[in-house]
Amino acid sequence: MAAGAPRVFVSHLSGVPVFDPIGDQVGRVRDFVAMLRVGGKPPRLLGMVVEVVSRRRIFLPMIRVTGVESGQVITTGVVNMRRFEQRPTERLVLGEILDRRVRLVDTDEEVTVLDVAIQQLPARRDWEIDKFFVRKGRGGALRRKGETLTVEWSAVSGFSLEEHGQGAESLVATFERLRPTDVANALHHLSPKRRAEVAAALDDDRLADVLEELPEDDQVEIIGKLKEDRAADVLEAMDPDDAADLLSELPEADKERLLALMRPDDAADVRRLMSYEERTAGGLMTTEPIILRPDATVADALARVRQQDLSPALAAQVYVCRSPDETPTGKYLGTVHFQRLLRDPPFTLVSSLVDSDLVPLTPDTPLPAVTSYLAAYNMVSVPVVDESGSLLGAVTVDDVLDHLLPDDWRETDFQGEEGIADGR
């Protein structure tokens, strides 16, 4: 941004791409690092937290930023690839300042910070927090009551105090366009207090999707801070295999209490999954693949495949079974792959298209054998059938990868080279 350019609100920069001078993308903006100053001076903006391709978060000093325009950030191209670590004197703008309740100096009225404006100082490369967009009263970004106004930094007080019960609506709003895995990564890097506040602000379905992408320790921490009724609702919204994995990490009493609060059908699926050894096909499978009866048509199958909440791995094939068509089903007849569905007329019965050559797995098949099966037959999902021939579920390649990768794979760096010092 050139000197004297208009101020920029940070919510508009959350998630925007960062490019080097030749147009190669370095990563995406995830937060901003500010340092509070004495004497009533506006906080100095030290830099940006940028998530690079390996999902590592690095620090990009503002002195390396040459442009902020048209939904993108331009940098000099010289960055330090060391993982970002927040220092005690620093504040994360999105993570710790948005949704904070402060007071107007003139009236002592409580307001909530909805957005923060930053501006580059004239004739310098330094940046500072310029203004706040606030709402009067205790409501966050999702409340429509209360006057909103833009005020100077000096017009508010309360940032030096430790706040209890900070809202999260404005921060959640910045997550709306992110995939669940990116929201999970953002939550993982927040403080436990802030993580709990954001989790409480997410709706059940969104929180369920995000929990499925978090490390087990974070899952247990978040579910443990929710009210039990809501925790049960979130577990119901999760894929049964992920819910079973999470519940298995809880103390026995907590696990049974939450299962008792869940809908009986959902609890039964989860209990069944928990009865299998963890590193077996039964322990890995989901109980909710696409299941069709033999008299269903290609049109019926394609309508099911189009469902938005299905993962690509589950949408890649349908399983044809006799009634009942919920797991455990009637006799499993075979699989119809998505490509085959595209080649045949809509009125064709799926029973005429089934691939019955591949032998399904049994629930006690160990993980190495499941992995070999997927690799040998180039499959992204494989059926699991019991000794009576009923379909119990399906193991998808993403579930297998979760168990093959190291426990800390979300923290693994794929770029080893480091640039110059970050200048802080």
Side-chain angles (χ1 to χ4, degrees), residues 361 365-374:
L361 300 180
T365 304
L367 176 59
V370 176
T371 306
S372 298
Y373 187 104
L374 289 169

Side-chain angles (χ1 to χ4, degrees), residues 36-92:
L36 300 181
R37 295 192 287 182
V38 298
K41 296 180 181 179
R44 178 187 171 203
L45 198 68
L46 301 179
M48 302 178 179
V49 180
V50 175
E51 185 176 294
V52 296
V53 66
S54 65
R55 298 183 66 187
R56 181 197 311 180
R57 293 189 168 207
I58 66 169
F59 178 75
L60 175 64
M62 293 307 295
I63 60 173
R64 303 295 180 195
V65 174
T66 59
V68 180
E69 53 192 14
S70 302
Q72 62 184 12
V73 173
I74 308 298
T75 177
T76 60
V78 181
V79 295
N80 189 331
M81 297 305 295
R82 261 202 321 268
R83 184 184 301 278
F84 166 70
E85 294 184 5
Q86 186 179 357
R87 297 175 180 175
T89 57
E90 297 171 348
R91 297 292 181 269
L92 296 177

Side-chain angles (χ1 to χ4, degrees), residues 55-306:
R55 298 183 66 187
R56 181 197 311 180
R57 293 189 168 207
I58 66 169
F59 178 75
L60 175 64
M62 293 307 295
I63 60 173
R64 303 295 180 195
V65 174
T66 59
V68 180
E69 53 192 14
S70 302
Q72 62 184 12
V73 173
I74 308 298
T75 177
T76 60
V78 181
V79 295
N80 189 331
M81 297 305 295
R82 261 202 321 268
R83 184 184 301 278
F84 166 70
E85 294 184 5
Q86 186 179 357
R87 297 175 180 175
T89 57
E90 297 171 348
R91 297 292 181 269
L92 296 177
V93 177
L94 295 177
E96 298 178 286
I97 295 182
L98 251 60
D99 301 302
R100 193 176 181 91
R101 294 195 295 272
V102 294
R103 292 189 176 276
L104 298 177
V105 173
D106 291 342
T107 63
D108 199 37
E109 186 175 2
E110 187 175 66
V111 295
T112 302
V113 178
L114 304 182
D115 212 339
V116 177
I118 59 174
Q119 191 167 34
Q120 190 174 19
L121 300 179
R124 298 173 60 186
R125 302 183 71 179
D126 287 344
W127 295 65
E128 66 182 18
I129 289 180
D130 179 39
K131 295 180 183 293
F132 293 128
F133 180 59
V134 300
R135 185 185 300 277
K136 291 186 177 181
R138 297 180 64 87
L142 301 182
R143 281 193 60 169
R144 296 293 178 257
K145 296 181 180 179
E147 177 188 357
T148 57
L149 62 158
T150 302
V151 297
E152 301 284 345
W153 160 263
S154 57
V156 299
S157 64
F159 280 99
S160 60
L161 301 176
E162 177 67 22
E163 180 172 349
H164 301 282
Q166 181 179 358
E169 291 88 349
S170 299
L171 182 55
V172 168
T174 69
F175 290 160
E176 286 183 356
R177 59 180 177 269
L178 299 182
R179 293 175 180 268
T181 186
D182 295 322
V183 179
N185 198 30
L187 255 64
H188 178 66
H189 289 86
L190 295 177
S191 67
K193 169 181 173 292
R194 196 70 174 118
R195 188 157 48 237
E197 291 164 347
V198 173
L202 293 170
D203 64 54
D204 291 349
D205 289 337
R206 182 68 159 165
L207 180 55
D209 290 340
V210 171
L211 279 175
E212 291 172 2
E213 304 297 333
L214 280 168
E216 289 178 352
D217 289 347
D218 289 344
Q219 290 181 346
V220 171
E221 173 196 300
I222 289 173
I223 209 74
K225 291 182 179 179
L226 299 177
K227 293 182 178 179
E228 287 188 343
D229 286 345
R230 192 187 176 209
D233 291 340
V234 172
L235 287 165
E236 289 172 353
M238 295 175 68
D239 288 339
D241 53 327
D242 291 304
D245 289 342
L246 172 51
L247 283 168
S248 66
E249 298 297 320
L250 300 179
E252 190 66 26
D254 294 342
K255 175 172 59 181
E256 289 301 323
R257 197 158 49 243
L258 289 172
L259 283 167
L261 291 171
M262 293 173 65
R263 290 190 296 262
D265 288 348
D266 293 321
D269 282 344
V270 172
R271 287 184 186 277
R272 181 154 52 88
L273 289 168
M274 292 172 63
S275 69
Y276 298 112
E277 293 292 331
E278 180 181 1
R279 297 174 70 84
T280 63
L284 295 169
M285 69 182 180
T286 177
T287 57
E288 298 179 345
I290 302 176
I291 301 170
L292 294 172
R293 297 181 184 179
D295 59 352
T297 64
V298 166
D300 297 327
L302 290 174
R304 294 285 300 276
V305 167
R306 290 191 192 101

Side-chain angles (χ1 to χ4, degrees), residues 2-56:
R7 67 182 60 90
V8 180
F9 284 91
V10 295
S11 66
H12 298 165
L13 297 178
S14 175
V16 304
V18 179
F19 295 96
D20 64 19
I22 63 174
D24 292 333
Q25 185 170 335
V26 176
R28 289 187 178 273
V29 176
R30 293 307 184 208
D31 214 321
F32 299 83
V33 183
M35 182 175 66
L36 300 181
R37 295 192 287 182
V38 298
K41 296 180 181 179
R44 178 187 171 203
L45 198 68
L46 301 179
M48 302 178 179
V49 180
V50 175
E51 185 176 294
V52 296
V53 66
S54 65
R55 298 183 66 187
R56 181 197 311 180

